[in-house]
Amino acid sequence: MSEGTTKQFLYVNRKAPHGTVYALESLEVVLIGAAFEQDVRLAFLDDGVFQLMKGQDTTGIGTKNFAPTYKALGDYDVNKIYVEKESLDERGLTEDDLMPLTYEDEDDDWAEKSSIKIVSRAEMADLIDSSDVMFNF
Amino acid sequence: MSEGTTKQFLYVNRKAPHGTVYALESLEVVLIGAAFEQDVRLAFLDDGVFQLMKGQDTTGIGTKNFAPTYKALGDYDVNKIYVEKESLDERGLTEDDLMPLTYEDEDDDWAEKSSIKIVSRAEMADLIDSSDVMFNF
Amino acid sequence: MKFAIQINEGPYTHEASDSAYMFTKAVIEGGHEVTRVFFYHDGVNNGTRLTTPPQDDRHVVNRWAELAKENDLDLVLCVAAAQRRGIADADESKRNGKDADNIQEGFRISGLGQLIEAGIQADRLVVFGD
Amino acid sequence: MKFAIQINEGPYTHEASDSAYMFTKAVIEGGHEVTRVFFYHDGVNNGTRLTTPPQDDRHVVNRWAELAKENDLDLVLCVAAAQRRGIADADESKRNGKDADNIQEGFRISGLGQLIEAGIQADRLVVFGD
Amino acid sequence: MAILHTVNKSPFDKNSLERAIGCAKDGSAVLLIEDGVYGALKGASSSSMVEDAMKTVKVYALSEDVSARGVNERVMDGIELVDYAGFVKLAADHSQVQSWL
Amino acid sequence: MAILHTVNKSPFDKNSLERAIGCAKDGSAVLLIEDGVYGALKGASSSSMVEDAMKTVKVYALSEDVSARGVNERVMDGIELVDYAGFVKLAADHSQVQSWL
């Protein structure tokens, strides 16, 4: 593939936040990567779905609370966020437990739309299969 | 507990060898610890049972093969080695798959005896419960 | 009561060093004694003075050093682990023919015997790691 | 074919750096190109020249540096990860007011953009870690 | 005095919680810390295992880690939240601490 | 071209192998490396999951890691051993490499 073309990027987020640094680092790469104008998709599966939980408050553990940053992803044109349903189910969670992540659709008179799409494990497999580069976190 | 007394040491080995350094480090601590004249017991459970597999050969991965060192434990008076049966079963292993580890019993005319005792999960729980210090690897 | 603390992971990747720090502080505030903090495996990476975390983040290394200074803690880096991971004091650096050292003041490098001794002397050995 | 390699773990604790080294060597021997080796998270700890492993053990850091020299590899340490973990070159050390640096010759420090660029330019990005 | 078992791994990722429970004798305690606090979730695939354990073992979760992860409202009934001072007290009140890393 | 999935964790310790298999579409490949090679064991609690997967997915194990762990004799039929050169070839012959860390 030549350098001028656009690649399908997939950020694969499988780790819980706070216990390890990977969730924070993934956000960092996504934000920096937004400048590279690739086709960016974010996948949250396994314990990665916990990254999007509402109401995270890291005051007690003394680390930076990066959860609000997810809400800024829409402003960076990162609005294809796939969350695996089986992973939510296993953890007793539903989409209502996750932070609402939205973007303004320029093709639809800047209507505010949800960036989150709940997908099945089979769709997650398709997503991985159709990506050019996977960044694993 | 005053410093003069003897403590029940338990080395809890739960990690597979080679993928991480913990198995090697545990051996190191056991050998150094032998000089401290405490009552030493080694527990192998979960993937820790793989540490005692026969026929390990690390030539291909370029690391030191420390498996033969387990056979020297008897010479350091480390001869209480407990391997959890449920962990072996889950992995399709039996005691025959493990290196024979032996010691010479000074109370029995230096007869060569096996250091390995296969124990149940319940006995493993008792072992942990009756220890004064657990070193976790 | 006497507590010994063992830390198996370096700063920032795992929560282990943060948890150990907060636990150690709570032990002291609870009126107990911390006989030793032993940094083992990747844990030795807590003892380098070359870290520069972002301004808005905690400084894991300095935080340990300050807690040690205020409470006269014994922060020990395992020597074998430190050698493999490039943590050296002036002596180690000289002995191994290196042109620099990187240990943070407040930490010292010593052998695994210090961990075993800690296990014997302390009433509780609490391990933090991955 | 162009390969980029990412390494998330430091030397000696996890097999990741060993596996990555052997894979990188095999890529080169297979007639392919290694466009970049990116050391991320604890992986930056592969780039310190202060390590002194036991005589009978492999020298993970030197092995990378030699492979890079022989094959003109681009070994990049993530700057943000390096700052948090105390890996510094002369420039970084000076900028952050440190009195020493510890980077091994053959490695360079740069930003996360280098990882993204590697992902774009390479045909395969292969990650080794915990 | 019985043992205090600490678990710092998510039960959906690793087997540490299952192992800690398997080795926790009647009357001992399990403290969930770091990513281990996800083991406190109700309505999850791990919940029935933890509920069963709670018949013979006391289960705690570290409040600082629970809050960090935003799961306060989802902690199952019967699990007691403790802060770091409580963690120290638990460690002191039990015979020894076994960390299931 | 399908994906090459690599797994470096023991299936008795973590869920990586299960996840890799769950996301491995028909015709793709799974390569077991490092502690992941324990997933190649026959007669283990993980064996039936791997056997099932092998109906639609090709499974490989890295010979250097298999030998290091002394499990050569216990690798189940149908799993092909490859060396590092083979690993590179698999990576080149598939569309991309997904590492289930």
Side-chain angles (χ1 to χ4, degrees):
Chain A
M1 186 172 280
S2 73
E3 285 184 38
T5 56
T6 300
K7 281 195 172 186
Q8 288 274 6
F9 272 25
L10 184 67
Y11 292 89
V12 183
N13 298 290
R14 296 182 56 232
K15 304 254 167 70
H18 314 304
T20 54
V21 81
Y22 303 109
L24 169 62
E25 292 283 358
S26 179
L27 254 184
E28 198 99 358
V29 180
V30 169
L31 294 178
I32 291 172
F36 285 75
E37 301 194 346
Q38 305 294 311
D39 190 353
V40 172
R41 303 182 294 187
L42 272 57
F44 292 88
L45 57 160
D46 297 342
D47 280 348
V49 301
F50 286 130
Q51 296 179 25
L52 303 180
M53 283 291 288
K54 281 177 184 161
Q56 299 177 52
D57 176 1
T58 57
T59 316
I61 60 170
T63 60
K64 200 173 139 180
N65 192 4
F66 54 92
T69 310
Y70 291 101
K71 295 180 185 166
L73 288 174
D75 302 335
Y76 287 82
D77 286 332
V78 176
N79 51 35
K80 292 175 198 155
I81 296 179
Y82 301 88
V83 178
E84 193 193 72
K85 184 171 187 311
E86 286 84 345
S87 296
L88 290 175
D89 290 348
E90 197 185 349
R91 288 156 186 81
L93 304 178
T94 68
E95 189 173 354
D96 288 343
D97 296 304
L98 309 182
M99 295 182 279
L101 304 182
T102 60
Y103 72 106
E104 295 178 343
D105 188 351
E106 61 175 315
D107 297 333
D108 189 9
D109 200 20
W110 305 99
E112 191 177 41
K113 296 185 175 176
S114 175
S115 302
I116 294 181
K117 200 173 169 196
I118 308 293
V119 298
S120 69
R121 185 156 298 184
E123 290 171 302
M124 188 59 79
D126 287 335
L127 209 55
I128 293 171
D129 220 56
S130 65
S131 297
D132 297 313
V133 193
M134 273 87 69
F135 292 101
N136 278 275
F137 290 95
Chain B
M1 186 173 277
S2 72
E3 285 184 40
T5 56
T6 300
K7 281 193 171 185
Q8 288 275 6
F9 272 26
L10 183 68
Y11 292 89
V12 182
N13 298 289
R14 296 182 57 232
K15 305 254 167 68
H18 314 304
T20 54
V21 80
Y22 303 108
L24 170 61
E25 291 283 357
S26 179
L27 254 184
E28 198 98 358
V29 180
V30 169
L31 295 178
I32 290 172
F36 284 74
E37 302 196 345
Q38 304 294 311
D39 190 352
V40 172
R41 303 182 295 188
L42 271 57
F44 292 88
L45 57 160
D46 296 341
D47 280 348
V49 302
F50 285 131
Q51 296 180 25
L52 303 180
M53 284 290 288
K54 281 177 185 163
Q56 299 176 52
D57 176 2
T58 57
T59 316
I61 60 171
T63 60
K64 199 172 139 182
N65 191 3
F66 53 92
T69 310
Y70 291 101
K71 295 181 184 164
L73 288 175
D75 303 335
Y76 287 82
D77 286 332
V78 176
N79 52 37
K80 292 175 199 155
I81 297 178
Y82 300 87
V83 178
E84 195 192 70
K85 185 173 187 309
E86 285 85 344
S87 296
L88 289 174
D89 289 348
E90 197 185 349
R91 289 158 184 80
L93 304 178
T94 66
E95 189 172 354
D96 288 344
D97 295 304
L98 308 182
M99 295 181 279
L101 304 183
T102 59
Y103 71 106
E104 296 179 340
D105 187 351
E106 60 175 319
D107 296 331
D108 190 9
D109 200 21
W110 304 100
E112 192 177 43
K113 297 184 175 177
S114 175
S115 302
I116 295 182
K117 200 174 169 193
I118 309 293
V119 297
S120 69
R121 186 156 297 186
E123 290 172 301
M124 188 59 80
D126 287 335
L127 210 55
I128 292 171
D129 220 57
S130 65
S131 297
D132 297 313
V133 193
M134 273 86 70
F135 292 101
N136 277 276
F137 290 94
Chain C
M1 187 171 272
K2 292 177 182 172
F3 280 82
I5 319 283
Q6 180 187 330
I7 300 170
N8 294 344
E9 289 293 336
Y12 302 108
T13 305
H14 297 85
E15 198 182 344
S17 181
D18 296 294
S19 303
Y21 170 80
M22 274 178 287
F23 182 78
T24 303
K25 236 178 114 194
V27 166
I28 296 165
E29 287 163 2
H32 301 290
E33 184 187 343
V34 176
T35 59
R36 182 164 294 151
V37 184
F38 192 84
F39 296 85
Y40 197 13
H41 314 300
D42 276 359
V44 298
N45 292 322
N46 286 287
T48 168
R49 68 174 183 276
L50 299 184
T51 50
T52 313
Q55 296 285 354
D56 61 348
D57 203 352
R58 74 237 186 256
H59 197 309
V60 174
V61 175
N62 287 359
R63 205 167 59 170
W64 274 116
E66 284 154 23
L67 191 69
K69 199 171 179 187
E70 289 160 14
N71 300 281
D72 200 23
L73 298 183
D74 187 20
L75 306 183
V76 178
L77 308 175
C78 169
V79 61
Q83 287 173 339
R84 281 201 183 89
R85 289 165 188 82
I87 305 294
D89 59 17
D91 278 358
E92 277 288 318
S93 174
K94 199 173 165 190
R95 185 176 320 128
N96 298 316
K98 302 293 180 183
D99 62 348
D101 68 76
N102 60 348
I103 197 170
Q104 164 69 35
E105 201 185 318
F107 291 80
R108 67 185 179 95
I109 294 178
S110 190
L112 275 172
Q114 301 273 314
L115 171 62
I116 296 159
E117 194 186 86
I120 295 172
Q121 292 176 347
D123 301 301
R124 301 287 182 275
L125 170 65
V126 184
V127 190
F128 295 88
D130 179 36
Chain D
M1 187 170 273
K2 292 177 183 172
F3 280 82
I5 319 282
Q6 179 187 332
I7 300 169
N8 294 343
E9 290 292 336
Y12 301 108
T13 304
H14 297 86
E15 198 182 343
S17 180
D18 296 293
S19 304
Y21 171 80
M22 275 178 288
F23 182 78
T24 303
K25 238 179 113 191
V27 167
I28 297 166
E29 286 163 3
H32 302 290
E33 184 187 345
V34 176
T35 59
R36 182 164 295 152
V37 184
F38 191 84
F39 296 84
Y40 197 14
H41 314 300
D42 275 359
V44 298
N45 292 322
N46 286 287
T48 168
R49 68 174 183 277
L50 299 185
T51 50
T52 313
Q55 296 285 353
D56 59 350
D57 202 353
R58 73 237 187 255
H59 197 310
V60 173
V61 176
N62 288 359
R63 206 168 56 170
W64 274 116
E66 284 155 22
L67 190 70
K69 198 172 182 187
E70 288 161 14
N71 300 282
D72 201 23
L73 298 183
D74 187 20
L75 307 183
V76 177
L77 308 176
C78 169
V79 61
Q83 286 173 337
R84 282 202 182 88
R85 288 164 188 82
I87 306 294
D89 59 17
D91 279 357
E92 278 287 318
S93 173
K94 200 175 165 189
R95 183 175 323 128
N96 297 315
K98 302 294 181 183
D99 62 348
D101 68 76
N102 60 348
I103 197 171
Q104 164 70 37
E105 202 185 319
F107 292 80
R108 68 185 179 94
I109 294 178
S110 190
L112 275 171
Q114 301 274 312
L115 171 63
I116 296 159
E117 194 187 87
I120 296 173
Q121 293 176 348
D123 300 300
R124 301 285 181 276
L125 171 64
V126 185
V127 190
F128 294 88
D130 178 35
Chain E
M1 282 193 299
I3 298 261
L4 172 67
H5 299 268
T6 68
V7 175
N8 75 333
K9 295 295 186 310
S10 160
F12 312 108
D13 185 44
K14 285 200 62 164
N15 68 1
S16 314
L17 177 57
E18 192 188 336
R19 278 320 306 251
I21 287 173
C23 277
K25 293 172 73 73
D26 289 7
S28 59
V30 173
L31 170 63
L32 308 172
I33 69 169
E34 300 178 0
D35 287 345
V37 301
Y38 292 120
L41 294 190
K42 58 187 170 195
S45 62
S46 52
S47 305
S48 63
M49 174 181 74
V50 178
E51 273 163 23
D52 274 356
M54 283 164 65
K55 292 171 189 162
T56 56
V57 168
K58 178 81 183 142
V59 180
Y60 302 85
L62 193 66
S63 56
E64 286 87 341
D65 282 319
V66 169
S67 297
R69 288 157 183 81
V71 293
N72 302 61
E73 305 296 313
R74 306 199 64 83
V75 171
M76 61 173 73
D77 292 340
I79 293 185
E80 192 179 322
L81 297 188
V82 296
D83 60 9
Y84 271 99
F87 182 177
V88 171
K89 194 170 178 321
L90 284 174
D93 289 349
H94 288 79
S95 62
Q96 199 44 265
V97 183
Q98 164 64 17
S99 308
W100 296 90
L101 301 175
Chain F
M1 279 194 299
I3 299 260
L4 173 67
H5 300 266
T6 67
V7 175
N8 76 333
K9 294 295 184 312
S10 159
F12 311 109
D13 185 43
K14 285 202 62 166
N15 67 0
S16 315
L17 177 57
E18 193 189 335
R19 277 320 306 251
I21 287 174
C23 277
K25 294 173 72 74
D26 290 7
S28 59
V30 173
L31 170 63
L32 308 172
I33 69 168
E34 301 179 358
D35 287 344
V37 300
Y38 291 120
L41 294 189
K42 59 186 168 193
S45 60
S46 53
S47 305
S48 64
M49 173 181 75
V50 178
E51 273 163 24
D52 274 355
M54 284 163 64
K55 291 171 190 162
T56 58
V57 167
K58 178 82 183 143
V59 179
Y60 302 85
L62 192 65
S63 56
E64 285 87 341
D65 281 319
V66 168
S67 298
R69 288 156 182 83
V71 293
N72 302 60
E73 304 296 315
R74 307 199 64 83
V75 171
M76 62 173 73
D77 292 342
I79 292 185
E80 191 179 323
L81 297 188
V82 296
D83 60 10
Y84 271 98
F87 182 176
V88 171
K89 195 170 179 321
L90 284 174
D93 289 349
H94 288 79
S95 62
Q96 198 43 267
V97 183
Q98 165 63 19
S99 307
W100 296 88
L101 301 175

